[in-house]
Amino acid sequence: MSTVAERVAEILVTARYPIVLTGAGMSAESGVPTFRDAMTGLWTRFDPHELATPEAFRRQPEVVFGWYVTRLRQVVAIDPHPGYQALVHLERLFGTLPIVTQNVDGLHRRAGSTDVTELHGSLLSFRCAAGHHAFPVEEVLVLAQVGGDGRLDPPVCASCGDLVRPNVVWFGEMLPEAAMTRAALLTEHCDVLLLVGTSSVVYPAAALPIRAQALGARVVEVNPAPTPFTRLANVAWQARAGDALPELAKQIVSMKAST
Ligand code: OAD
């Protein structure tokens, strides 16, 4: 009787075009809070509509900007866990392993993955609100946070005088067109989709595995808890990303060595 890791490894080893779709659970073991996990989720402590919307930024820019700079400082100080390294290893083994992520923490690229599509933007990138003029993240990192609650007045864009904001997708905003186009293309072409660490409740990202499966791809879900997609998955691997992905890479390496 083969283990789940062996079954998933067999699916990936025989895949022509595997892709990966990740969510906040992929970063949980690196210490980045997820959004909805009951006790640890970011939003159990904050109301996302108080912070992650253009209206919130207009109403209280120093609170919203300070919150994102706090998250940015957390993210740049942590290391991608072995599950990230496992995906880099698989990319090198397969020659390619496109990753579509909902995460804005930049950890896939930091780990060494070279084909990463960030559906919801990036904490590591800043621009002015209207003109979309880029603002160096290095300059954001040296801004001094004021006040005990981390409030921070956003800088003003030198080109147009507008306030600088993080390049992340806020509620009510469109996803970056280029990222959505690339994600749709990858979904259309893949024959295996590895779905890691997402609650599969936010669209359009949650539609991608459904679309892939409708086009004949097999979807493997890696998540310690059930999601709305679990019953649809070809394989539902109830495990944490930091445990499952290194085990998967180990199984694939040993399978390739024995062929
Ligand atoms: P959620 O917080 O909604 O879901 C996190 C998922 O990760 C849950 O299903 C957990 O069970 C799972 N999980 C927790 N620990 C894990 C681990 N160690 N390994 C694997 N899985 C684990 O986060 P997302 O699904 O990413 O969008 O949320 C999607 C989007 O909702 C976010 O990108 C954000 C939010 O609106 C924007 O901000 C635009």
Side-chain angles (χ1 to χ4, degrees):
M1 171 73 172
S2 60
T3 64
V4 178
E6 287 162 345
R7 282 168 54 211
V8 175
E10 276 152 20
I11 289 172
L12 278 174
V13 158
T14 55
R16 285 175 301 104
Y17 204 79
I19 67 171
V20 185
L21 172 60
T22 63
M26 179 71 208
S27 303
E29 289 146 283
S30 284
V32 181
T34 61
F35 288 90
R36 295 171 180 83
D37 277 355
M39 295 316 291
T40 58
L42 207 51
W43 291 351
T44 50
R45 301 193 298 279
F46 295 99
D47 172 356
H49 298 90
E50 285 302 306
L51 291 165
T53 65
E55 296 72 25
F57 184 64
R58 272 195 292 277
R59 194 173 53 246
Q60 43 183 9
E62 73 291 347
V63 172
V64 174
F65 191 75
W67 183 56
Y68 278 95
V69 174
T70 302
R71 287 176 62 191
L72 169 65
R73 288 188 170 138
Q74 286 166 349
V75 160
V76 295
I78 60 176
D79 292 321
H81 61 70
Y84 281 94
Q85 316 305 344
L87 291 179
V88 176
H89 191 172
L90 292 178
E91 177 183 334
R92 289 173 186 156
L93 269 179
F94 295 155
T96 174
L97 186 64
I99 295 174
V100 176
T101 187
Q102 300 169 86
N103 302 338
V104 296
D105 55 31
L107 291 182
H108 282 298
R109 283 209 183 93
R110 184 108 60 79
S113 291
T114 62
D115 182 349
V116 181
T117 300
E118 292 171 317
L119 279 181
H120 294 161
S122 171
L123 263 179
L124 300 157
S125 163
F126 287 77
R127 62 173 170 82
C128 62
H132 290 239
H133 299 113
F135 189 88
V137 65
E138 296 76 14
E139 287 189 35
V140 171
L141 283 166
V142 297
L143 293 170
Q145 294 217 231
V146 292
D149 58 0
R151 290 167 188 263
L152 178 61
D153 287 324
V156 168
C157 170
S159 305
C160 67
D162 205 347
L163 292 181
V164 170
R165 55 162 283 180
N167 229 345
V168 301
V169 176
W170 281 338
F171 277 101
E173 292 186 320
M174 299 293 286
L175 271 63
E177 195 178 334
M180 266 315 289
T181 305
R182 175 102 173 100
L185 193 72
L186 291 170
T187 304
E188 306 277 326
H189 285 84
C190 75
D191 58 348
V192 173
L193 188 152
L194 196 56
L195 186 65
V196 185
T198 179
S199 56
S200 291
V201 295
V202 173
Y203 286 76
L208 297 174
I210 297 169
R211 175 81 177 136
Q213 216 173 35
L215 293 171
R218 284 180 289 179
V219 180
V220 175
E221 182 185 58
V222 177
N223 197 319
T227 74
F229 190 83
T230 303
R231 62 185 175 76
L232 302 172
N234 297 84
V235 178
W237 191 352
Q238 194 168 351
R240 305 186 324 160
D243 301 325
L245 296 177
E247 176 59 24
L248 176 61
K250 197 171 107 218
Q251 290 291 338
I252 288 173
V253 166
S254 70
M255 277 180 188
K256 279 185 166 288
S258 58
T259 52

